[in-house]
Amino acid sequence: MNREQAITEAFVSLTDTVADDVDPLTLLRRLVDHCVHLTGMDAAGVMLANARGRLQSAVVTEERVEITEMFQAQAQEGPCVDSYNTGDPVHAADLAGSEERWPSFTPLARAAGFRAAHSFPLQLRDQNIGALNLLARTPTPLTPEDARLLEALVHTATTSVLTWSREPLRPYDIITRTQSALSTKAVLDIAAGMLAATAPLTPAEAGQRLRAYSASQHLRAADVADDLVRRRLSPATVLAGAP
């Protein structure tokens, strides 16, 4: 399997929320395994915030990672803690220069055999729920490509974890969701037709303008289409506001 195939497989596995043998921890285990296999990092783990906002180790690829995560939680110090608190990625390509930044965490991580640490926040709608912890046994910077890939993997896994349901989909649920998708498509087509009737646009161009307006307003295209069809929003407003 080449890298492109491996990346595709990673995203597919992280969005599988309906299989009988899948639960949130399974999804997070897949996340840490993919992060190690697809980058130059040697180990990974995920810490999640409990009801009090304190981080706890959830999954790890090896025991030494859990030790460092537990220590970060106890000392309230380290890349995972910083990433969770700030909502931003935290990078330490060489822990030898991090003693002042993390005086308690750095010697423990180095004693466990790690020389680099990187963390990415787990967040949904600006709410932080935890952090991904990546460790390497040699000083290891992340390439911009790897950093973007890791952020995408983390976002996908976080969304899957928070939308997972213990109740399996029933045949009726599947039919209902399929019909809902078709109904939404019908509304989008009607709304695009309204825009095309207002301006010299093809239906395809009208659909693009509708999606562009929705993106610029941070709204779902389906909601904008519904507002158009119900006359809560005028075609002129959408056409004028689409970049």
Side-chain angles (χ1 to χ4, degrees), residues 30-218:
R30 291 176 181 177
L31 171 65
V32 295
D33 287 340
H34 289 311
C35 288
V36 170
H37 294 155
L38 293 172
T39 68
M41 307 307 290
D42 296 305
V46 168
M47 301 183 76
L48 296 177
N50 62 20
R52 297 182 179 180
R54 302 275 295 191
L55 290 174
Q56 293 181 298
S57 180
V59 296
V60 294
T61 57
E62 59 180 79
E63 185 178 357
R64 285 182 295 179
V65 179
E66 185 165 17
I67 293 173
T68 64
E69 290 187 343
M70 290 174 60
F71 192 81
Q72 287 187 73
Q74 292 172 357
Q76 285 294 290
E77 171 195 300
C80 258
V81 174
D82 286 358
S83 186
Y84 168 71
N85 287 334
T86 64
D88 296 317
V90 173
H91 303 290
D94 188 349
L95 285 172
S98 300
E99 287 86 353
E100 291 186 7
R101 188 179 189 183
W102 304 307
S104 298
F105 164 77
T106 300
L108 176 72
R110 298 187 66 187
F114 298 116
R115 297 293 181 270
H118 303 273
S119 289
F120 292 84
L122 273 66
Q123 55 187 184
L124 188 67
R125 297 178 181 173
D126 297 326
Q127 181 173 347
N128 298 338
I129 66 166
L132 169 71
N133 194 29
L134 297 159
L135 299 165
R137 295 186 177 89
T138 59
T140 307
L142 283 178
T143 65
E145 285 185 352
D146 279 349
R148 288 192 295 270
L149 172 61
L150 289 165
E151 287 182 331
L153 290 171
V154 168
H155 176 73
T156 300
T158 303
T159 302
S160 295
V161 166
L162 294 180
T163 56
W164 174 85
S165 174
R166 182 181 296 274
E167 297 298 326
L169 285 176
R170 299 164 296 179
Y172 177 78
D173 296 326
I174 297 173
I175 294 173
T176 299
R177 293 188 184 187
T178 301
Q179 292 304 309
S180 176
L182 291 174
S183 298
T184 299
K185 176 63 166 57
V187 173
L188 287 167
D189 287 344
I190 294 171
M194 294 172 64
L195 295 179
T198 303
L201 299 170
T202 66
E205 291 170 339
Q208 291 175 353
R209 295 287 290 273
L210 190 153
R211 290 189 292 273
Y213 174 84
S214 303
S216 69
Q217 301 297 314
H218 305 290

